[in-house]
Amino acid sequence: MEMDATVLRDALTRLKRAHGQLGGVIAMIENADDCEKVLTQLAAVSKALDRAGFKIISTGLQQCQVAREQGEEPPISVERLEKLFLALS
């Protein structure tokens, strides 16, 4: 399944945000910041990554549905998408 950056703009935005947050978490740990603050930021990074992954899976499902409606072979099987979805959980 090919990924189109314009279609996945939301996922890309989330990943860029997570990238910045992760840099912040690393800096916090290096500076021996408060454990609670570090874990709060780490949870935010994790949530951003999860949402990006779910957006990519959602886009794949949409592409499969459009292909089927047009009488074409989907770019990826539903079974494979399910395995990828479950890998995120």
Side-chain angles (χ1 to χ4, degrees):
M1 178 178 79
E2 291 184 29
M3 297 196 309
D4 180 350
T6 57
V7 173
L8 293 171
R9 189 173 317 236
D10 183 50
L12 190 56
T13 299
R14 290 176 189 279
L15 289 171
K16 287 179 180 181
R17 185 177 307 133
H19 183 264
Q21 288 174 315
L22 185 56
V25 169
I26 291 169
M28 291 171 77
I29 292 172
E30 289 174 342
N31 295 330
D33 283 2
D34 179 66
C35 179
E36 186 175 346
K37 290 179 183 177
V38 170
L39 291 174
T40 299
Q41 289 304 308
L42 195 56
V45 171
S46 179
K47 188 172 184 173
L49 291 173
D50 288 344
R51 287 182 177 250
F54 293 139
K55 180 64 177 179
I56 292 169
I57 293 291
S58 172
T59 300
L61 286 170
Q62 291 171 5
Q63 288 178 352
C64 287
Q65 183 173 348
V66 167
R68 272 192 233 93
E69 289 172 356
Q70 294 175 350
E72 300 171 0
E73 185 70 26
I76 188 170
S77 71
V78 173
E79 293 80 15
R80 182 69 182 136
L81 275 172
E82 181 182 8
K83 281 183 91 167
L84 293 170
F85 174 79
L86 292 173
L88 292 174
S89 62

